[in-house]
């Protein structure tokens, strides 16, 4: 094909050509820890050891990079492994980074509890205010790290404006694109230097695999990510990669359904007497609400829901509910990133929407 294929076509075909020997239309699970060499240093297709590279993993890395419009992709054993590799590749003792004032709790924990012990400092700023981000930058800032939408308050950044702010200061911009997915947003095209995913979430899509990914157009950054991917060893298994590839193929149709269901739920919840605030960026399946009755009302809602399973994580085909302040974001307690204790986060699945609406109505009675 001479023209760039459409999104769904890339999700199904990029890096996933039929096996030339058997004709298998799905990429095989190459469950081999090592690869025969044609003489010393004579690598077949560049493979020598599974931590360094694996054909199944290469297919996933190619596919995710194609969906993000990037040239280089790296797959990791989790979103946090990808986060760790990115930060350790881009920062050195004495460096500074800017993060959202409502970042994911795991990202905050890594930065606040681990990287600061290595002499790295950070400031926080709202992602929807490029001026505030500019004010948070110091002469030592090397990275501006944002989520858009953020987790769990669902604030949205003007990525192009933030990229300009970061680049004017000589810093790199990393965008966690987990919530929006490349179906709705491709940050590299807006000026970002690196895109991060927890592939555990929407890209895998079925709550059966854990993984992460980094995508960039910068060959030097990609080489640094690859060095840590191999040197630190945070790589996914071939089976985990296979599951993620399986999920990737249906990303577009799932995201359409997540969005349609979320829109109906937002319509139900807005103006409901039990709800003081509804937050939704207008796409994808993440909806955050605050309860008029405070924390006890939030706990009661979580307890009464039936189709919405009380569980951490998000982005799967099934609907989930959680109380971030006591679950995914407990690490932010007492910090500038502390989450309101009356905030309930919904990951809206792809079930029949009327069933989900009735479950919510019942929980709010």
């Amino acid at each position: 094909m001479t023209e760039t294929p459409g999104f769904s076509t890339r999700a199904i075909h990029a890096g996933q050509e039929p096996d030339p020997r058997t004709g298998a239309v799905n990429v095989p699970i190459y469950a081999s820890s090592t690869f025969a060499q044609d003489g010393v240093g004579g690598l077949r297709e560049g493979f020598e050891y599974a931590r360094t590279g694996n054909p199944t993993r290469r297919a996933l890395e190619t596919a995710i990079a194609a969906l993000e419009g990037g040239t280089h992709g790296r797959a990791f054993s989790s979103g946090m492994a990808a986060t760790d590799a990115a930060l350790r590749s881009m920062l050195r003792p004495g460096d500074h980074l800017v993060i959202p004032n409502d970042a994911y709790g795991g990202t905050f924990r890594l930065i606040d509890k681990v990287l600061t012990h290595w002499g790295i400092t950070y400031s926080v700023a709202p992602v929807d205010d490029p001026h505030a981000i500019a004010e948070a930058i110091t002469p030592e800032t090397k990275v501006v790290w944002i989520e858009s939408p953020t987790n769990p308050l669902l604030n949205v950044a003007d990525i192009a404006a933030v990229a300009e702010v970061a680049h004017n200061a000589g810093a790199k911009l990393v965008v966690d694109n987990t919530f929006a997915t490349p179906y709705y947003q491709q940050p590299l095209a807006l000026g970002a230097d690196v895109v991060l995913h927890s592939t555990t979430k929407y890209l895998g899509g079925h709550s059966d695999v854990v993984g992460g990914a980094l995508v960039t157009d910068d060959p030097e950054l990609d080489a640094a990510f690859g060095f840590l991917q191999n040197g630190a060893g945070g790589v996914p298994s071939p089976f985990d990669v296979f599951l993620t590839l399986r999920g990737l193929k249906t990303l577009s149709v799932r995201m359409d359904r997540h969005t349609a269901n979320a829109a109906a739920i937002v319509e139900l919840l807005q103006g409901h007497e039990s709800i003081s605030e509804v937050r939704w960026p207008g796409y994808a399946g993440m909806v955050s609400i605050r309860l008029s009755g405070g924390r006890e009302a939030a706990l009661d809602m979580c307890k009464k829901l039936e189709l919405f399973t009380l569980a951490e994580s998000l982005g799967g085909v099934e609907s989930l509910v959680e109380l971030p302040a006591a679950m995914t974001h407990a690490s932010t307690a007492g910090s500038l990133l502390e989450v309101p204790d009356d905030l309930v986060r919904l990951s809206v699945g792809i079930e029949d929407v009327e069933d989900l609406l009735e479950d919510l109505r019942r929980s709010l009675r």
Side-chain angles (χ1 to χ4, degrees):
M1 289 180 285
T2 56
E3 298 182 0
T4 301
F7 185 91
S8 295
T9 302
R10 281 177 282 150
I12 294 169
H13 294 286
Q16 303 166 75
E17 295 79 14
D19 181 72
R21 186 171 67 87
T22 67
V25 296
N26 280 311
V27 178
I29 301 173
Y30 287 90
S32 182
S33 62
T34 191
F35 299 85
Q37 300 185 23
D38 298 324
V40 176
L43 307 183
R44 302 182 190 180
E45 302 295 326
F47 298 108
E48 55 183 310
Y49 186 63
R51 172 168 41 80
T52 308
N54 173 282
T56 318
R57 192 169 88 216
R58 177 185 285 180
L60 176 63
E61 292 172 336
T62 300
I64 293 178
L67 293 184
E68 283 289 359
T71 53
H72 306 285
R74 298 282 176 177
F76 293 84
S77 57
S78 68
M80 288 311 305
T83 299
D84 180 62
L87 290 172
R88 286 199 288 147
S89 296
M90 303 172 75
L91 297 169
R92 295 293 180 268
D95 288 345
H96 173 268
L97 77 156
V98 178
I99 64 173
N101 63 356
D102 59 334
Y104 167 54
T107 303
F108 171 74
R109 181 177 57 234
L110 175 66
I111 294 168
D112 185 65
K113 306 301 183 187
V114 179
L115 297 188
T116 55
H117 292 296
W118 296 347
I120 292 168
T121 59
Y122 69 93
S123 300
V124 303
V127 298
D128 55 358
D129 187 346
H131 179 70
I133 293 173
E135 289 187 332
I137 289 174
T138 74
E140 290 74 38
T141 302
K142 297 298 186 294
V143 173
V144 174
W145 182 287
I146 66 172
E147 304 164 6
S148 185
T150 58
N151 179 9
L153 297 181
L154 304 178
N155 290 310
V156 176
D158 181 338
I159 294 174
V162 176
E164 183 176 4
V165 166
H167 295 159
N168 286 344
K172 302 288 189 183
L173 174 62
V174 181
V175 178
D176 184 334
N177 201 30
T178 298
F179 276 24
T181 81
Y183 183 63
Y184 285 118
Q185 174 175 274
Q186 296 172 14
L188 294 179
L190 300 172
D193 299 285
V194 181
V195 175
L196 176 136
H197 282 280
S198 171
T199 57
T200 310
K201 312 305 192 297
Y202 285 113
L203 299 194
H206 292 77
S207 301
D208 55 8
V209 63
V210 174
L214 295 172
V215 179
T216 184
D217 285 332
D218 187 325
E220 292 186 6
L221 281 177
D222 176 65
F225 299 156
F227 179 84
L228 271 182
Q229 182 191 45
N230 178 50
V235 296
S237 74
F239 182 65
D240 287 349
V241 168
F242 176 84
L243 288 175
T244 306
L245 275 169
R246 183 279 317 269
L248 208 63
K249 295 175 187 291
T250 60
L251 179 62
S252 61
V253 292
R254 287 187 287 106
M255 294 311 295
D256 284 342
R257 181 62 172 264
H258 284 299
T259 298
N261 281 1
I265 284 170
V266 168
E267 184 177 3
L268 168 70
L269 297 178
Q270 283 179 333
H272 193 287
E273 61 181 9
S274 299
I275 307 297
S276 62
E277 184 180 14
V278 178
R279 303 179 72 90
W280 183 54
Y283 52 85
M286 300 308 299
V287 178
S288 289
I289 60 176
R290 298 185 69 177
L291 278 293
S292 303
R295 183 175 186 273
E296 292 305 314
L299 287 168
D300 186 61
M301 180 183 181
C302 291
K303 180 180 179 180
K304 288 181 177 178
L305 284 166
E306 296 178 2
L307 284 180
F308 283 83
T309 301
L310 180 63
E312 296 185 358
S313 198
L314 58 102
V317 293
E318 66 287 303
S319 294
L320 302 177
V321 61
E322 70 134 354
L323 195 71
M327 296 172 70
T328 54
H329 292 68
S331 63
T332 66
S335 76
L336 293 172
L337 283 73
E338 186 171 54
V339 176
D341 65 3
D342 60 354
L343 184 82
V344 171
R345 192 188 73 181
L346 303 174
S347 175
V348 179
I350 64 172
E351 300 96 335
D352 290 311
V353 70
E354 282 303 324
D355 295 328
L356 296 177
L357 293 173
E358 180 54 31
D359 195 31
L360 287 163
R361 291 187 192 102
R362 185 171 54 247
S363 74
L364 294 169
R365 285 179 187 142

